[in-house]
Amino acid sequence: MKIKIDNNSGFCFGVVNAIETAERYLENHSELYCLGDIVHNNMEVERLQKMGLKTITHSDLNNMKDATVLLRAHGEPPSTYKIAMQNNIKLVDASCPVVLRLQNRVFNGYNLMKELNGQVVIYGKEGHAEVLGLAGQTKDEAIIIGSEADLDKIDFHKPIELYSQTTKGKEGFASIIKAIERKIEETGNNTEFLVNDTLCGAVSNRAPHLREFAKQNDVIIFVSGEKSSNGKYLFGVCKENNENSYFISTIEQLKSNWFKNDVLTVGICGATSTPMWLMEEAAGAIKKFSELNKI
Ligand code: SF4
């Protein structure tokens, strides 16, 4: 049985930057607080915890003073920077530059919509860290749309400026745009509708590649934390193209009956928050299964 790790999978540059920033800091300090899990991957979080990284929540931040806190790649709303200033907290800002640029665009869009009596709409997951950071640019006035079921939150008679969370899928974003266009058409008005495609290429460019990768292998093992948005999306891409695709977060979730004798090729891939070492461990465990199956 051939086992191949997809060389396009693994950390995106935003996550690499956040992790390297934490590692660099911890070379000379015994501890560093991180606001939220540094990546949506428990195994990698545990590895960094052993080096001294301590995950805190926003309510912990409110009660802290004189500490050093890392901001992860997802970015933060302005309120976080304000609390840090009030509490004399030093920030090590590892927000991804792509997210920071998007925050800036949302802020400008918000000011424009204010002038036009319009609305900022964000296609993303309600409560997701990046979405909270984006909504913060609009004083939390932005309308968050997770699916077409949320469209009734929008007033289709007023101007709309649409953005997407960076890690959402291309297909979902395209159908939200079409659905909004249909709703506007139904009103009979010529409502202004501005679309900003703010999907991150580090995620959306992986989808076409994964489609081929999924087709080329008998079994696909997709390794990702359960909380990862792009993990859900990219696993969906694999599953659509190969029904023998399995989602795992830990090696223990692998099942030997997925690798029966008629399985000749296994492809291992993952999300932008999946460490390469975890995919390599999965490859090692699958190799053992294949050896046992031969006996
Ligand atoms: S997915 Fe894109 S926007 Fe998000 S952290 Fe990675 S590089 Fe940055």
Side-chain angles (χ1 to χ4, degrees):
M1 188 168 73
K2 269 195 182 159
I3 303 164
K4 190 177 175 205
I5 300 177
D6 171 36
N7 50 16
N8 269 16
S9 287
F11 293 154
C12 60
F13 67 86
V15 171
V16 169
N17 173 53
I19 289 173
E20 287 182 353
T21 304
E23 286 174 337
R24 265 197 311 274
Y25 186 90
L26 288 167
E27 272 169 21
N28 303 310
H29 302 82
S30 58
E31 62 175 27
L32 172 65
Y33 295 104
C34 179
L35 191 53
D37 285 340
I38 188 163
V39 277
H40 291 311
N41 190 287
N42 292 341
M43 309 297 285
E44 182 65 3
V45 170
E46 277 170 26
R47 186 186 74 84
L48 290 160
Q49 267 168 357
K50 285 184 192 138
M51 295 175 70
L53 193 70
K54 294 189 169 145
T55 306
I56 56 162
T57 63
H58 284 82
S59 79
D60 294 330
L61 187 77
N62 284 328
N63 302 316
M64 285 174 103
K65 282 215 167 19
D66 312 321
T68 302
V69 174
L70 177 89
L71 302 185
R72 58 194 175 166
H74 295 96
E76 284 294 321
S79 55
T80 299
Y81 293 87
K82 202 171 151 201
I83 293 165
M85 205 136 83
Q86 284 164 353
N87 292 3
N88 195 32
I89 287 170
K90 189 177 157 221
L91 293 177
V92 178
D93 196 344
S95 303
C96 175
V98 176
V99 175
L100 290 178
R101 258 199 313 275
L102 171 55
Q103 287 189 349
N104 198 33
R105 287 177 72 176
V106 171
F107 177 74
N108 292 335
Y110 171 67
N111 289 332
L112 175 69
M113 285 297 109
K114 273 273 159 219
E115 277 171 30
L116 302 176
N117 190 29
Q119 314 142 89
V120 168
V121 176
I122 297 168
Y123 171 54
K125 188 176 173 217
E126 186 108 48
H128 185 282
E130 182 192 315
V131 173
L132 294 174
L134 299 178
Q137 310 305 317
T138 70
K139 301 198 173 96
D140 289 328
E141 290 172 26
I143 298 166
I144 314 299
I145 298 294
S147 69
E148 290 186 31
D150 296 328
L151 287 182
D152 55 7
K153 294 185 190 170
I154 303 173
D155 181 344
F156 294 97
H157 296 88
K158 288 182 176 176
I160 298 163
E161 177 131 32
L162 177 70
Y163 298 88
S164 64
Q165 179 185 335
T166 54
T167 49
K168 295 296 277 183
K170 251 184 190 168
E171 302 78 4
F173 189 49
S175 40
I176 285 288
I177 294 168
K178 282 211 180 90
I180 294 176
E181 283 169 347
R182 275 198 305 275
K183 291 274 185 189
I184 291 173
E185 224 174 280
E186 281 168 22
T187 66
N189 283 358
N190 196 13
T191 307
E192 187 156 7
F193 178 35
L194 304 167
V195 176
N196 299 273
D197 179 350
T198 51
L199 298 168
C200 175
V203 178
S204 53
N205 293 344
R206 287 186 185 192
H209 168 79
L210 274 188
R211 252 172 229 127
E212 292 314 308
F213 186 74
K215 283 180 200 159
Q216 285 160 6
N217 289 285
D218 297 333
V219 168
I220 289 290
I221 300 300
F222 191 92
V223 189
S224 168
E226 280 169 11
K227 284 190 255 170
S228 166
S229 284
N230 76 82
K232 280 188 197 108
Y233 165 62
L234 294 174
F235 173 65
V237 169
C238 292
K239 191 81 186 165
E240 266 170 34
N241 291 281
N242 183 338
E243 61 172 19
N244 298 320
S245 297
Y246 303 101
F247 186 105
I248 62 158
S249 299
T250 62
I251 306 304
E252 291 71 36
Q253 291 168 332
L254 287 167
K255 293 202 170 70
S256 62
N257 63 357
W258 295 343
F259 313 103
K260 293 264 171 65
N261 286 338
D262 55 339
V263 173
L264 299 178
T265 54
V266 177
I268 301 173
C269 48
T272 60
S273 49
T274 305
M276 187 50 81
W277 63 262
L278 190 54
M279 289 187 281
E280 282 164 358
E281 274 189 22
I286 295 165
K287 194 162 173 258
K288 278 190 194 145
F289 281 136
S290 80
E291 283 162 6
L292 285 176
N293 282 346
K294 268 188 221 154
I295 296 166

